[in-house]
Amino acid sequence: MDWLRWVSTAAFLAVAGYCVVRLVAAARAPSVYQGCHRAVDLAHVLMGVGMAAMVSPVGGPLPMPAWQTVFLLMTAWFLREWWRERGTTPWHGGWHGNGLHHAVAAAAMLYMLMAMPHTGHRSSPWLDGGMGWGTGMALPVLGWALVAYFLVTAVLMVVRWRMPAGPAGLPPVLTTSKGTVACQTTMSIGTGGMLTAMLVVV
């Protein structure tokens, strides 16, 4: 199934690349596109690269503890933002979901990195666990709950499609619906698929 792993790697890297383009475009409107907006795009760059590293046959550039630290900090940051934005309807730079959604996504990455057994010190748990198939993930109930969450999220992305209009004066790549919905759906399906592959005993 190496072909599937390479296709998934390419898809996740494409999401990361799209977010890099968004960050570059954001430099044209620094007074409007800032703070949490940039953080969401940066988070998706890190998540795209991290997921590519996990599914890629060749692993990733960072050791496991580094990835764990990245996603732990990301989870904490978005939880703080969610707490601060309660009762408001902020615009999230084109990515559907509030701070809690992004915190859950980062926590899911952390779960995948910490809940499965590792047999070595390579940077890819997919390599360590034989692509993760039937590796005896810890807390499987939590894992399946996350799978269900990302499945529902992916469906909602497609059904809703249109995102709230952003502030005036932003480049089109920061306000278009199609690109952001496609990327968010890819991330949701990819995360759910990876979790399923790690949880299913074959």
Side-chain angles (χ1 to χ4, degrees):
M1 297 246 307
D2 276 356
W3 68 269
L4 180 58
R5 298 174 72 181
W6 282 118
V7 169
S8 300
T9 300
F12 294 140
L13 289 178
V15 171
Y18 176 77
C19 291
V20 169
V21 172
R22 286 170 61 89
L23 287 169
V24 171
R28 304 175 191 172
S31 63
V32 178
Y33 198 83
Q34 54 183 300
C36 186
H37 304 151
R38 294 178 186 271
V40 170
D41 281 320
L42 178 59
H44 280 84
V45 171
L46 294 172
M47 291 185 69
V49 173
M51 292 174 74
M54 292 175 71
V55 73
S56 168
V58 298
L62 295 177
M64 187 70 64
W67 284 116
Q68 292 171 344
T69 300
V70 166
F71 292 115
L72 176 62
L73 293 175
M74 193 183 300
T75 301
W77 194 91
F78 279 111
L79 280 175
R80 186 197 68 170
E81 288 302 305
W82 168 69
W83 186 261
R84 292 176 58 186
E85 70 189 15
R86 288 172 308 143
T88 64
T89 54
W91 179 70
H92 290 282
W95 292 100
H96 293 264
N98 56 19
L100 181 60
H101 167 76
H102 299 296
V104 171
M109 295 293 294
L110 185 62
Y111 169 78
M112 285 191 282
L113 292 171
M114 297 186 68
M116 67 180 295
H118 303 297
T119 59
H121 301 286
R122 290 171 290 182
S123 61
S124 173
W126 286 71
L127 289 175
D128 292 336
M131 284 190 70
W133 290 98
T135 52
M137 295 279 283
L139 300 174
V141 173
L142 175 59
W144 285 115
L146 288 169
V147 170
Y149 173 81
F150 287 110
L151 175 62
V152 171
T153 299
V155 172
L156 290 178
M157 292 302 102
V158 176
V159 171
R160 292 179 179 177
W161 189 260
R162 301 291 300 179
M163 68 182 186
L170 290 177
V173 70
L174 300 179
T175 58
T176 181
S177 297
K178 294 181 179 180
T180 51
V181 170
C183 286
Q184 186 64 75
T185 303
T186 298
M187 296 296 283
S188 293
I189 293 176
T191 304
M194 290 171 65
L195 282 164
T196 300
M198 292 177 178
L199 288 162
V200 172
V201 177
V202 295

